[in-house]
Structures are given as structure tokens and as C-alpha cells.
Amino acid sequence: MTDVVQLLHSAFSPLEQTISKHKPQFIALHFQEVGGKDYMVNMGQAENFFCNIESSEEMKDFDRVSIYIDNEFQSEDTFTALGSMYFIHKTLKNIYQYDFNVKDLKAVQGKNKHVGSLDRVATVEKEKFPKNFWPDVSMYGGVCGERYGRSTHGGVDLVNIHLFHDASNLIACNSSPSVYSGNRKNALRYVINSRFTALPFFLFGDFNFRLDTLSVVEHLSIETEMQTVKKDSTNEVEKIICEEKDSTHQLVLHIEEKLFEYLHEAFFREDNGKALLKYDKEVQAFCDIIREVDITFPPSYPYSEDHNQPTRYMNTRCPAWCDRILMSHTADDLIHWSDDDEEEEKSVVYNTVGPNVCMGDHKPVFLFFQLKTNNH
């Protein structure tokens, strides 16, 4: 419990600093795996974390707040472990939120907190993915969506999403693209096809997008001797080992089901992982519908949870940009893009929160932008 408290405390300061630096008027925070992996024990601490954000000094001028926390883990068939927080600054007038029951916009007033199953909350739509998407995985991936807008300018859909992970590094290495990539593609297509109208939308959360693992392994294993070790009982691959070809036979790459250990771990952080972007392919299948601001930060997962090593990756998975903010092309049209490169760096920022602070195994990702004047 102490580790959880320490982690939440360390994560709070970078979030405050990010808000203080950019001074947004509207803030949308999306969380996945609320309560962590041991959510039954830690859910209370997570809820305290939400309360601390709401009551912090940086939020004092945000006079309207909507909070949604799906904490009903007893309901296995519907529990998503998703949490969403929305803050509206006092300078913004006439902001409305959609009521899915009456199918109309209603003015946002005061502070509204919903903690529980969320199934009967009129201002949110929540869905856990059907089990047939991942029949061999038991997790709580899902989507949770809200709609905000102004009566004279329409609105936008804001969707908190959590797709499923790569259960085995070895299976991820079997094909290009992997079976996991195909499953995520089907699930994201399902979300886009079933949940969206003509309104602009933003999808942000843990997509669990991974690099094309087979291609990455082929790249990392160049000029090494690769061997596969199989289990005697089933003849299944148990591990993949790559060693230097010289007399030292130094271990360069070691892969097991939940182990991905590369000798030159710093490679994934060099030049913010730029050399790896060509293996980041999962979002490309949706380029006709959604777009993303150029990535200029290192892979957001899996970081060490050791507070003394906040910039190192764990040796559990191949580092990847799991945490993303995607938008429809119509949402992109709302953003003020400057013709001046230096000015654009200030008006649109896509980056991680707390790059030098332990934030857990993920680094949160944020997108800051300004709306076009005629959309205010």
C-alpha cells in the first residue's frame, strides 16, 4: 500500500506542473486500470488521488467538474476500471454536456461526481468489449464516452479507451502483424463504427499499440546467433536467445513469454525512439478516419517502477507507444495550426507527463492545443 501511495504522490506534481505551464481552459483526463493491477486493494487510494486533483490549487479556477470512476469490480461482466475527469474553467461560458437518455445537451453546472458502475449515469456511455474479441484473455478493457459542446457550435465526443495487451512476447514474434495487433484493429474498428456520429471526436487512453515485434526482433538480432529453446514436454518455444557471434557469446537479446531483455536498453530512448517509429504500424489502418500529431517522445511503456530509475524500461515487454491521443479529421479541423514553426510548438504540444519522474509502468501522454478563433 505504501508503494501505491508513493506512486500517486509522485505522479501528482508533474500533472500540476503541466497544467500550470500550459494554462488550459478545458481539461480532459482519462485513466485506465484505476486502482492498478491489484484494484480490489488499491481502489480507495485511487479515489483519493482523484479527489486530490479536484481540490488542488491548480484547479481552483475550474468551477465545473465532471468525474466518472468505474470502480464496481464485483461486476466482472461490466467492470472496465476506467476513470475520466473533465474540468471547465470559469472563463468558458455556455458549455453543455450531452444527456444520452433525453438525447439533448444540458448546461454543465457545479461539480458532478459519479463513482460506481456508471451503467445508469445519463451523461456517459460505457461498454466493456465483448468476450469474443479476446476469448483467451480475461481483462477489463472497454470504452467510456462523453460529449461536450456549445449549443451554437455543435460538440465533440471524448472517448476513454483501453484495448488489450500482448499476452505473450513469443506469440507476438510469430507473425507480422501479430495476432494481437489484428485483435486490437478489430476492436478499434468496432468502437469507431458503433459509437460515433458525424461529430468530431477524440479517442485517448491505453490503446496497447505495440511495435511490429517480429520486425523489431529481426532488426535487434542482426549480426547475432539466434536460437530457440523449446519445452521438452510440448515442443513449444520457451525462449528466444540471441548471442554475439564472436568468442564472447555475449547475450544480446533474451525473449520469453513475459521477458524482453535487450543488452542495449538505451537504444529505445535514443533520439526519443525515432528509429523505432517505422515499426509503429497499428494506427496506420485508420488513417482514413483518424489522425495523430507527430510523435516526438520516447515509447510510453513499460517503464521501471523503481523510483530511482524513472527513465529506464522494464525488461518485460518491447517498449512501445501504447498511450495515444487520436482524433477524427473533423476534430483536427478545429485545431489552430500555426504557419510559423516556432509558434506551432507553443500552440500544439504532444508529449509525456513526468518524463523524469516515476509515474508507474506507463508515462501519461497529453495533447495541448488551441481552437480556431471562429470555434470559440
Side-chain angles (χ1 to χ4, degrees):
M1 186 68 72
T2 302
D3 290 341
V4 173
V5 174
Q6 184 180 8
L7 178 60
L8 293 176
H9 178 74
S10 65
F12 186 63
S13 180
L15 177 60
E16 279 192 311
Q17 292 170 7
T18 302
I19 294 171
S20 177
K21 178 179 179 180
H22 295 287
K23 296 178 172 54
Q25 290 178 294
F26 180 87
I27 300 173
L29 299 176
H30 285 179
F31 303 82
Q32 303 77 44
E33 291 191 56
V34 172
K37 295 176 176 61
D38 196 1
Y39 49 83
M40 288 183 283
V41 175
N42 298 324
M43 188 62 75
Q45 294 296 335
E47 291 176 23
N48 289 337
F49 177 69
F50 283 103
C51 290
N52 287 338
I53 294 175
E54 180 188 0
S55 60
S56 69
E57 181 68 17
E58 294 300 332
M59 299 300 187
K60 67 180 182 180
D61 290 329
F62 292 83
D63 58 357
R64 286 147 293 169
V65 181
S66 295
I67 299 174
Y68 304 91
I69 304 174
D70 180 9
N71 74 346
E72 199 169 63
F73 48 78
Q74 298 89 346
S75 302
E76 184 177 342
D77 290 339
T78 60
F79 178 54
T80 63
L82 294 175
S84 305
M85 303 182 76
Y86 304 95
F87 298 85
I88 301 169
H89 198 271
K90 63 184 181 182
T91 56
L92 283 182
K93 308 301 181 183
N94 303 319
I95 303 299
Y96 297 83
Q97 188 173 16
Y98 193 73
D99 185 312
F100 290 94
N101 286 345
V102 301
K103 301 186 185 310
D104 197 7
L105 290 168
K106 293 184 176 181
V108 183
Q109 297 179 339
K111 297 186 177 182
N112 308 282
K113 183 182 295 186
H114 305 280
V115 180
S117 70
L118 305 183
D119 293 332
R120 296 183 180 180
V121 180
T123 50
V124 65
E125 282 193 325
K126 187 199 79 170
E127 182 177 359
K128 186 169 183 176
F129 285 115
K131 291 184 178 179
N132 60 295
F133 278 115
W134 285 274
D136 59 339
V137 178
S138 177
M139 281 187 63
Y140 33 76
V143 290
C144 192
E146 292 77 36
R147 182 174 298 164
Y148 286 87
R150 292 182 173 182
S151 58
T152 56
H153 293 291
V156 294
D157 282 332
L158 306 174
V159 182
N160 187 349
I161 188 166
H162 188 190
L163 301 183
F164 290 96
H165 64 193
D166 286 11
S168 167
N169 294 322
L170 296 171
I171 293 176
C173 290
N174 282 345
S175 61
S176 175
S178 75
V179 62
Y180 303 122
S181 175
N183 287 341
R184 285 189 287 270
K185 178 181 177 181
N186 292 338
L188 185 54
R189 183 68 65 180
Y190 167 81
V191 171
I192 292 173
N193 288 346
S194 65
R195 302 190 68 86
F196 294 111
T197 64
L199 286 175
F201 63 83
F202 292 86
L203 298 124
F204 46 115
D206 181 4
F207 291 80
N208 261 312
F209 287 161
R210 306 302 171 101
L211 303 183
D212 186 332
T213 309
L214 177 58
S215 298
V216 172
V217 170
E218 290 174 348
H219 174 83
L220 299 180
S221 61
I222 293 176
E223 299 183 356
T224 69
E225 293 181 351
M226 179 185 292
Q227 60 176 310
T228 57
V229 179
K230 298 184 177 181
K231 299 178 182 178
D232 294 335
S233 56
T234 63
N235 204 38
E236 294 179 2
V237 175
E238 185 176 32
K239 62 181 71 174
I240 298 172
I241 295 174
C242 299
E243 298 178 341
E244 295 281 9
K245 290 182 178 180
D246 58 24
S247 58
T248 65
H249 295 288
Q250 186 176 22
L251 184 64
V252 176
L253 182 62
H254 180 188
I255 302 173
E256 296 184 18
E257 181 179 344
K258 296 185 179 180
L259 176 72
F260 194 99
E261 188 173 17
Y262 183 52
L263 176 63
H264 310 293
E265 183 263 351
F267 166 73
F268 297 106
R269 301 191 302 274
E270 290 175 3
D271 198 17
N272 291 324
K274 186 176 181 179
L276 298 168
L277 284 171
K278 61 183 177 182
Y279 303 116
D280 179 64
K281 302 177 180 180
E282 294 196 36
V283 75
Q284 295 176 6
F286 301 91
C287 62
D288 60 321
I289 304 170
I290 55 181
R291 68 146 300 188
E292 180 178 25
V293 178
D294 291 342
I295 294 175
T296 57
F297 49 86
S300 63
Y301 170 87
Y303 278 90
S304 169
E305 294 181 296
D306 182 343
H307 287 263
N308 297 316
Q309 296 183 322
T311 63
R312 288 187 61 86
Y313 291 107
M314 285 195 288
N315 59 3
T316 53
R317 307 290 183 188
C318 178
W321 288 276
C322 292
D323 309 278
R324 315 286 278 260
I325 300 175
L326 309 178
M327 69 189 84
S328 65
H329 292 292
T330 50
D332 177 47
D333 290 339
L334 301 176
I335 295 177
H336 169 67
W337 297 92
S338 174
D339 294 330
D340 186 289
D341 290 340
E342 291 186 6
E343 184 62 29
E344 182 168 310
E345 288 182 4
K346 300 176 184 178
S347 62
V348 180
V349 183
Y350 190 33
N351 210 337
T352 54
V353 176
N356 299 311
V357 177
C358 182
M359 305 286 286
D361 55 354
H362 290 256
K363 294 289 187 189
V365 169
F366 77 94
L367 175 65
F368 170 78
F369 60 87
Q370 299 175 9
L371 295 175
K372 291 179 179 177
T373 304
N374 59 2
N375 287 296
H376 275 288

